[in-house]
Amino acid sequence: MSTLQEQHLASTMVGDLMISSEKVAHVQVNNPLEHALLVLVKSGYSAVPVLDSSYRLVGIIGKTVILNQILGLERFEFEKLSDMRVHEVMSKDIPQLTKEDTLVKGMNTLINYPFVCVRDKDGYFDGILTRRAILKQIKKDIYTAKKETE
Ligand code: AMP
């Protein structure tokens, strides 16, 4: 990769590549688990952000943690889904980025997660950065660099 392409990668911000909040499926902190599982299954995503009633980011929730919660000795106890709320099982300790963070920071954070939530300084949800978006950008930069040397 040329120095120019490396510089381009270093000057790209998380905000340039994130999926903005209005396009991101999410659940609310007080939703029953039944609703969260429906959103996850219908959207096909393994996990989605959890927001409070003011659209502040409070965590993420995924299919596996929900299914584990209702796993009985011999069957899934689906009746539990309507009694339990998202805040009881969501992950609160999650990595977070801001739109102003560099893509390099985003890349480092995404090593261990398929997506990372982006929020502003007051905690309001701005969107998500996915591994897919980063890989697409790197592929584009490598392709451009290759064309330059041809
Ligand atoms: P992808 O890189 O598109 O495979 O997405 C990786 C993960 O990011 C998905 O499994 C979801 O957990 C999350 N994700 C991607 N796009 C969205 C979206 N529009 N709404 C909610 N979650 C998303």
Side-chain angles (χ1 to χ4, degrees), residues 4 10 12 16 22 30 33-34 37 50 58-59 63 71 77 85 92 103-104 106 116-117 123-124 135:
L4 206 64
T12 307
D16 300 327
E22 61 275 12
N30 280 322
L33 283 193
E34 188 170 26
L37 192 56
V50 180
V58 287
K63 281 177 196 149
L71 185 60
E77 296 165 354
R85 306 265 149 187
K92 292 181 200 147
L103 205 55
V104 175
V116 177
C117 294
Y124 290 100
L135 286 173

Side-chain angles (χ1 to χ4, degrees), residues 20-58:
S20 59
S21 56
E22 61 275 12
K23 293 184 193 146
V24 177
H26 73 272
V27 296
Q28 299 247 319
V29 76
N30 280 322
N31 285 154
L33 283 193
E34 188 170 26
H35 176 77
L37 192 56
L38 269 171
V39 170
L40 287 162
V41 172
K42 279 193 164 180
S43 66
Y45 297 129
S46 46
V48 292
V50 180
L51 308 183
D52 70 12
S53 54
S54 309
Y55 293 88
R56 268 187 294 250
L57 176 68
V58 287

Side-chain angles (χ1 to χ4, degrees), residues 89-137:
V89 302
M90 69 184 190
S91 309
K92 292 181 200 147
D93 188 17
I94 54 163
Q96 302 180 14
L97 293 165
T98 67
K99 287 197 276 191
E100 296 74 30
D101 284 329
T102 63
L103 205 55
V104 175
K105 181 172 176 188
M107 247 186 318
N108 285 330
T109 316
L110 278 164
I111 288 173
N112 292 317
Y113 303 88
F115 76 98
V116 177
C117 294
V118 183
R119 51 134 187 93
D120 73 10
K121 62 178 174 31
D122 298 314
Y124 290 100
F125 181 61
D126 278 330
I128 58 172
L129 182 68
T130 62
R131 269 189 199 151
R132 184 196 296 270
I134 299 262
L135 286 173
K136 270 171 80 178
Q137 183 64 40

